[in-house]
Amino acid sequence: MRWVRSSFAARSFRSKLILASVACILLPALGTMMVYNYLTRDAVKDQAIQNADQTLKLVEGHVSNEFRYMLYLMNYFTVDQDILFLLKNLAAEPYDRNRETEEQFLNGNEVRKSISSLTAAGQQSFVSIVLNNGMAFTNYWGYEYDPRLLLDKPWVKESENTFGLESYWAGVMPTVFSSEKARNPYQITSVRPLRGDRNAIYGYVVVTVMESLIHQYFEGLPTRQEIMLLDREDRILSHTDSGLIGSPFPEMREVLSREGTPILQRGGIAYLVSEKEISIGGWKLVSLTPYKSAVAKINDIFQNVFLFQLVSFILFFLLLLVLLRAFTKPLVKLDKVALRVQQGDLEVRSSIRGQDEVGRLGKSFDQMLDRISDMIREITETQARKRKAELDMLQAQINPHFLFNVMNSIRMKVMRNGDRESADMLSSLSKLLRMTIQDTGNIPLHDEVETAIDYVLLMNMRQKQEVALEVDIAADVLMERVPRFVLQPLIENALIHGLNQMEGTIYLHAKREEGAILIQVRDNGKGMDAAALEGLRRRMLGLHGEAEDRSEKRGFSGIGLANVYERMRMTFGSSFSMEIESEEGAGTCISMYLPL
């Protein structure tokens, strides 16, 4: 082990990669070839069983649908209140075929219409409703079969042990309908008693379908698969060979009781056995698939795949030895460039390009060096803009301590003279000056909103026409912290430039929205055209060198739109965004998105 470690340590990365690649490909391939035969046999058998189960599941769906339709017919005649009312009235009176009353005729005709309309569009089925007084209603002609004979059948008597929506499945029996005997020798029948007061039975509903309707789904299956329907006692109820219907299938229980793969030996041929229970009387579907035909196609696929893998391994093994040297050549060059960068040369580039991982690595390495240079320049420019923004803030503070103290003295004197309006104006101005005395850190949003309200109040006192300020701040954002004086410049722009210091409304909204806090300042002023809007956006982003056009009229704070944008970006980073929307005659809206 020590010799192996020392040998690898002395080799280059290229040699290590070649040896490791050969070992990782060769050893698994040899192991695969050794265990392939053992694993393939079990995999082939399991796949054959899965295929048989899938086919059986598909057949079970069709067969269950046929039986569900029979249940649907019986449910209709034992649940529908109109039909039950007619049947109870008909069963309550004596019946004579030769002296049928008008009421019996009319009510019976309604029952027959219901049977005919219900069975007209579905599968071919024979419905019989037989009452204890001898009345019978069917969807077939009387010459086909006399339904009153059903009352003497033993399985009809056995159905008396069922209640509610339970049905008694009589199983398979010879066909009794004269028109079907020749082509359908067997039928499958289900019966349900009609119960009145105190569960007294006054009749029976019998639904019958031909056995061929079931075994039609057993035909044309792949791999010569044989499917049959068995009852609880493993008697065959349905089969493509009518000669086997009614005969027992005792091998079924013996096969399923064994451990391992269920295989039945019959006539010197091995069959895979699968079963699927259906929700009818404990019946089940059983399939017998010849083992050889079931696994032949799958076995061929496995053998072809193995041969392809073997040939592919040899070809790729040779190709790998040739290509590894070509692939590692750019890595050697990249290593030399990294050494020069380590020595402090940030101008060197690898110039390695390509569509593979090494090419993308060389490109990313060069882009990383470019980004480092750009970041150095950006940091320098950001620091310069930050110092400029702080200078603008300092210029807005005109000896605040002195002005604040004098303003409070004047306010108290005015209040003593009874001039309440002037005192309120001085109070609002004092609040604004107090904001300038506080430190330059962030403040709660509600304090910033109060500053904006005081500012509008002051502006309304000095203007001829008042401006309304509508404030809608969500309660869950009131305590979020923001830089000072970020709302006042926006409201100042809306008041001076949007409304031209005329009458109008300014709307201030704030709420949480998709992982951010949305703050909007909107006015219903004159708005601006597309060219003016684009110019304002560019000045906000500082694309003209100056954050604000100095020729524009400045407000109370002297902090322009671009200054607000710059300070918010420095506070919240690149996740902060500001949008400006405007339309002539409809006003302007400024939206700020503060990340949470």
Side-chain angles (χ1 to χ4, degrees):
M1 180 64 69
R2 183 177 300 174
W3 174 81
V4 173
R5 291 180 180 176
S6 60
S7 298
F8 266 85
R11 294 181 180 274
S12 65
F13 173 76
R14 178 181 294 173
S15 301
K16 294 177 183 178
L17 184 60
I18 293 175
L19 291 176
S21 300
V22 171
C24 291
I25 294 177
L26 183 60
L27 294 178
L30 293 176
T32 301
M33 294 173 64
M34 293 175 60
V35 301
Y36 176 78
N37 288 333
Y38 175 77
L39 296 178
T40 300
R41 279 181 292 176
D42 290 339
V44 168
K45 186 180 296 184
D46 292 341
Q47 186 61 45
I49 294 175
Q50 291 180 9
N51 293 343
D53 289 341
Q54 290 176 357
T55 302
L56 194 61
K57 184 178 181 180
L58 181 63
V59 173
E60 186 271 337
H62 292 296
V63 173
S64 295
N65 286 337
E66 301 295 343
F67 290 142
R68 289 193 192 99
Y69 182 71
M70 296 175 66
L71 288 174
Y72 165 74
L73 294 176
M74 286 188 289
N75 289 341
Y76 179 83
F77 294 110
T78 55
V79 173
D80 186 89
Q81 296 301 318
D82 294 334
I83 296 296
L84 289 177
F85 178 78
L86 294 175
L87 293 175
K88 288 179 181 179
N89 289 339
L90 290 172
E93 300 178 2
Y95 174 70
D96 186 350
R97 295 183 61 183
N98 298 322
R99 304 178 65 181
E100 187 176 47
T101 65
E102 180 180 0
E103 182 179 2
Q104 288 177 332
F105 173 78
L106 293 176
N107 291 341
N109 195 38
E110 289 296 324
V111 176
R112 293 185 186 92
K113 286 181 180 179
S114 297
I115 297 175
S116 298
S117 62
L118 193 63
T119 59
Q123 66 189 33
Q124 184 181 11
S125 56
F126 297 85
V127 178
S128 305
I129 299 179
V130 185
L131 304 181
N132 290 340
N133 61 4
M135 293 194 74
F137 313 97
T138 67
N139 64 340
Y140 52 87
W141 297 105
Y143 65 82
E144 293 271 0
Y145 180 70
D146 186 358
R148 286 182 293 275
L149 297 177
L150 294 172
L151 295 175
D152 299 328
K153 299 295 181 181
W155 44 267
V156 172
K157 299 299 181 182
E158 293 176 8
S159 70
E160 296 177 359
N161 296 322
T162 61
F163 296 87
L165 296 180
E166 292 181 325
S167 301
Y168 180 80
W169 294 86
V172 66
M173 58 190 67
T175 301
V176 298
F177 301 100
S178 58
S179 63
E180 297 290 339
K181 289 182 178 180
R183 50 183 179 175
N184 296 304
Y186 291 97
Q187 67 183 32
I188 295 178
T189 301
S190 178
V191 60
R192 183 181 297 175
L194 295 172
R195 297 182 182 272
D197 297 336
R198 298 181 181 180
N199 285 328
I201 298 175
Y202 62 86
Y204 302 88
V205 177
V206 182
V207 179
T208 300
V209 297
M210 295 298 105
E211 180 274 335
S212 60
L213 191 66
I214 304 301
H215 81 236
Q216 67 175 334
Y217 301 112
F218 305 163
E219 299 172 346
L221 299 177
T223 63
R224 297 185 296 167
Q225 190 172 3
E226 177 185 353
I227 296 182
M228 63 189 77
L229 178 64
L230 305 181
D231 63 8
R232 291 180 186 272
E233 287 74 28
D234 292 332
R235 288 192 301 268
I236 299 176
L237 298 177
S238 182
H239 197 284
T240 53
D241 184 359
S242 60
L244 298 177
I245 295 178
S247 60
F249 189 64
E251 298 93 342
M252 184 63 191
R253 295 185 181 179
E254 179 183 354
V255 170
L256 295 179
S257 63
R258 302 175 193 161
E259 295 183 359
T261 304
I263 296 180
L264 171 66
Q265 297 289 339
R266 189 171 69 172
I269 300 177
Y271 292 88
L272 285 174
V273 181
S274 299
E275 71 164 347
K276 179 74 175 178
E277 291 189 3
I278 60 178
S279 57
I280 299 298
W283 297 354
K284 55 181 173 288
L285 289 169
V286 176
S287 72
L288 304 178
T289 307
Y291 183 77
K292 287 186 177 180
S293 62
V295 302
K297 188 174 181 180
I298 303 175
N299 210 11
D300 291 341
I301 293 175
F302 274 100
Q303 291 178 356
N304 292 335
V305 170
F306 175 74
L307 180 61
F308 176 76
Q309 289 178 339
L310 181 61
V311 174
S312 298
F313 166 74
I314 296 174
L315 293 178
F316 283 111
F317 179 75
L318 297 175
L319 184 61
L320 179 64
L321 297 179
V322 176
L323 294 180
L324 278 178
R325 294 185 61 86
F327 291 158
T328 54
K329 184 177 179 180
L331 292 177
V332 176
K333 182 179 179 181
L334 191 61
D335 177 62
K336 295 178 180 179
V337 174
L339 290 176
R340 292 185 59 183
V341 173
Q342 185 181 9
Q343 296 170 359
D345 185 3
L346 296 180
E347 301 301 324
V348 66
R349 299 293 184 266
S350 67
S351 300
I352 297 174
R353 298 293 183 269
Q355 299 300 320
D356 57 3
E357 290 81 357
V358 178
R360 292 195 293 270
L361 177 61
K363 183 179 180 180
S364 299
F365 189 80
D366 291 347
Q367 290 176 344
M368 179 186 67
L369 295 176
D370 295 337
R371 182 57 179 162
I372 291 174
S373 300
D374 293 340
M375 288 177 64
I376 294 174
R377 288 192 296 271
E378 289 177 2
I379 291 173
T380 303
E381 294 174 358
T382 300
Q383 291 298 328
R385 290 196 300 269
K386 183 176 181 180
R387 288 193 295 272
K388 182 178 179 299
E390 292 173 351
L391 179 60
D392 286 340
M393 282 292 296
L394 291 174
Q395 292 173 350
Q397 301 176 2
I398 306 173
N399 199 1
H401 285 281
F402 171 75
L403 292 178
F404 175 65
N405 293 331
V406 173
M407 199 66 63
N408 274 335
S409 299
I410 297 173
R411 175 174 170 270
M412 296 301 296
K413 186 174 182 179
V414 170
M415 287 187 65
R416 285 195 295 269
N417 292 333
D419 189 351
R420 184 68 181 180
E421 182 178 358
S422 298
D424 291 342
M425 184 175 182
L426 290 172
S427 176
S428 297
L429 184 57
S430 297
K431 291 180 182 179
L432 292 177
L433 290 176
R434 185 181 295 110
M435 293 296 293
T436 66
I437 294 176
Q438 297 173 353
D439 58 39
T440 58
N442 295 344
I443 62 174
L445 179 59
H446 70 84
D447 287 345
E448 182 66 14
V449 172
E450 290 180 2
T451 301
I453 294 173
D454 289 332
Y455 173 75
V456 173
L457 179 61
L458 287 173
M459 295 302 293
N460 282 336
M461 291 181 179
R462 60 179 289 220
Q463 294 184 165
K464 293 182 179 180
Q465 295 180 339
E466 291 190 358
V467 173
L469 176 63
E470 293 191 6
V471 179
D472 181 14
I473 308 297
D476 58 351
V477 301
L478 286 174
M479 298 306 297
E480 297 294 337
R481 303 189 73 83
V482 298
R484 291 185 308 136
F485 291 111
V486 294
L487 296 181
Q488 182 272 333
L490 305 183
I491 293 176
E492 179 185 34
N493 286 338
L495 193 149
I496 296 176
H497 302 293
L499 299 176
N500 280 336
Q501 296 183 309
M502 303 295 287
E503 183 180 3
T505 303
I506 299 175
Y507 304 89
L508 174 58
H509 302 282
K511 63 179 180 178
R512 292 181 183 268
E513 184 177 282
E514 298 180 358
I517 298 176
L518 170 62
I519 300 178
Q520 280 188 336
V521 177
R522 178 169 55 88
D523 64 72
N524 60 354
K526 64 180 181 178
M528 64 187 80
D529 57 23
L533 177 61
E534 181 62 26
L536 180 60
R537 288 171 176 168
R538 292 178 64 85
R539 289 196 300 276
M540 179 191 73
L541 298 175
L543 299 180
H544 287 168
E546 289 290 335
E548 282 285 339
D549 188 349
R550 298 297 179 184
S551 64
E552 292 183 359
K553 185 175 180 180
R554 299 174 64 88
F556 167 83
S557 68
I559 302 173
L561 185 62
N563 188 275
V564 173
Y565 176 77
E566 184 65 28
R567 288 195 296 124
M568 296 295 278
R569 291 277 291 187
M570 287 190 295
T571 301
F572 296 102
S574 59
S575 299
F576 169 79
S577 63
M578 179 184 288
E579 299 176 357
I580 305 176
E581 301 294 336
S582 184
E583 183 179 349
E584 283 191 287
T588 302
C589 178
I590 300 177
S591 301
M592 296 188 295
Y593 294 89
L594 285 61
L596 292 175

